[in-house]
Amino acid sequence: MACAAARSPADQDRFICIYPAYLNNKKTIAEGRRIPINKAVENPTATEIQDVCSAVGLNAFLEKNKMYSREWNRDVQYRGRVRVQLKQDDGSLCLVQFPSR
């Protein structure tokens, strides 16, 4: 296996992960929310996150059977994560308006 420095930023395993819990205004920070409540939405789904990322032009794909480790509810509604590409092969940004997570 190649070391992490030799892998391309465009490899799918190097895409960032977005779980619905990161954006859920019903969650606390301890439960996994990563953004301020005023910017969060109520009960987002992984499919909705993928749709938004695709609509703005990001390369995103859905992994339906993945679950956030802090999510106590194992219901189908809370499953899934979205992998999003932020950097191209040469290390440049895919979209300059999204330089980071």
Side-chain angles (χ1 to χ4, degrees):
M1 179 177 204
C3 68
R7 292 189 306 183
S8 168
D11 290 341
Q12 286 189 348
D13 60 335
R14 302 273 298 157
F15 288 12
I16 65 163
C17 294
I18 302 175
Y19 289 96
Y22 294 176
L23 311 173
N24 192 343
N25 66 6
K26 301 293 183 190
K27 301 275 185 195
T28 64
I29 290 176
E31 291 173 330
R33 181 176 42 81
R34 292 194 177 186
I35 62 172
I37 288 179
N38 61 350
K39 293 184 180 181
V41 295
E42 186 175 339
N43 298 322
T45 64
T47 306
E48 292 171 339
I49 296 168
Q50 180 195 21
D51 291 344
V52 170
C53 291
S54 297
V56 297
L58 290 169
N59 182 14
F61 68 94
L62 178 64
E63 295 178 326
K64 289 184 179 185
N65 293 324
K66 298 294 185 175
M67 291 218 41
Y68 186 52
S69 58
R70 293 188 202 170
E71 183 61 62
W72 58 271
N73 191 339
R74 300 292 179 208
D75 193 19
V76 175
Q77 165 185 346
Y78 298 101
R79 289 188 186 189
R81 75 174 173 198
V82 179
R83 303 289 301 248
V84 181
Q85 179 183 11
L86 292 182
K87 295 186 179 180
Q88 298 174 353
D89 281 331
D90 60 358
S92 63
L93 295 173
C94 290
L95 294 174
V96 293
Q97 63 263 40
F98 302 111
S100 67
R101 294 172 185 238

